[in-house]
């Protein structure tokens, strides 16, 4: 099963990955990172198809996908 991980340290909360996700399994976290941003998080790992659209659109290289 694929696993999407967003590194809160690098994520600036732009939301591009949330828009790009065809399964709509990403959202903004209620937590805030050290830079003051609500970072993205995956809330439904089971529905991830590892399409990598979130990874491709992330300008901060904050997303990793493991298969």
């Amino acid at each position: 099963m694929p696993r999407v991980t967003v590194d809160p340290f690098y994520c600036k909360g732009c939301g591009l990955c949330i828009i790009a996700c065809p399964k709509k399994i990403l959202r903004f976290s209620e937590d805030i990172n050290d830079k003051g941003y609500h970072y993205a998080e995956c809330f439904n790992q089971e529905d991830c198809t590892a399409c990598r659209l979130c990874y491709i659109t992330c300008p901060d290289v904050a997303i990793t996908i493991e298969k």
Side-chain angles (χ1 to χ4, degrees), residues 1-65:
M1 176 171 67
R3 177 160 182 80
V4 177
T5 305
V6 179
D7 187 334
F9 179 78
Y10 293 109
C11 180
K12 66 178 178 217
C14 69
L16 293 175
C17 60
I18 295 170
I19 295 167
C21 180
K23 294 291 189 172
K24 303 300 179 202
I25 60 172
L26 298 172
R27 65 180 174 202
F28 287 115
S29 171
E30 292 184 12
D31 296 328
I32 297 174
N33 65 12
D34 292 340
K35 299 173 188 173
Y37 300 120
H38 289 276
Y39 54 90
E41 68 178 359
C42 182
F43 64 91
N44 193 356
Q45 294 286 351
E46 295 80 30
D47 286 347
C48 181
T49 60
C51 69
R52 296 192 174 107
L53 288 175
C54 60
Y55 173 81
I56 292 167
T57 60
C58 181
D60 299 311
V61 194
I63 298 174
T64 56
I65 299 176

